[in-house]
Amino acid sequence: QVQLVESGGGLVQTGGSLRLSCAASGRTFSTDAMGWFRQAPGKEREEREFVAAISWTGSSTYYADSVKGRFTISRDNAKNTVYLQVNSLKPEDTAVYYCAAAPRMLDVSGRCSSPGWYDYWGQGTQVTVSS
């Protein structure tokens, strides 16, 4: 059974940091592009916002403008795990953060920012930023 399990979320103050993890199992994700999305309170699944994506080698990354310079995506293929380091958090970063996997090469033309480009999803981890 294919599983993506996120962890590392929590309650932090404005300006704080967290490290989110996404552990994959059930198949080899080492050749998949991986992405992070978030769903803010009151938003529907279809309104999930793209955050970041990374190629299977880790050599290429792609970020939403709203998180550039604050968030960093990385991966450890030996551990089948993808990370999202989130720094300088703002209240508007409050959301459930989801990781996703796409068994294809990273497409930075824009398609990797679409939820429909991904085949596998985790259940999410809550990040709450207090002001």
Side-chain angles (χ1 to χ4, degrees), residues 25-99:
S25 63
R27 60 181 288 275
T28 299
F29 287 86
S30 58
T31 56
D32 289 3
M34 301 293 292
W36 284 95
F37 286 76
R38 63 188 182 186
Q39 186 171 340
K43 298 288 189 180
E44 299 294 327
R45 179 188 177 108
E46 294 74 22
E47 298 174 279
R48 285 182 184 177
E49 178 189 10
F50 170 75
V51 175
I54 189 168
S55 64
W56 72 272
T57 62
S59 61
S60 295
T61 56
Y62 186 60
Y63 295 93
D65 288 342
S66 59
V67 306
K68 279 181 183 176
R70 300 188 298 124
F71 292 10
T72 303
I73 189 171
S74 62
R75 67 190 296 164
D76 184 338
N77 286 339
K79 296 182 178 180
N80 241 12
T81 301
V82 177
Y83 305 97
L84 186 69
Q85 179 68 40
V86 296
N87 298 330
S88 303
L89 283 164
K90 307 173 183 179
E92 51 264 43
D93 294 319
T94 294
V96 178
Y97 283 70
Y98 297 88
C99 73

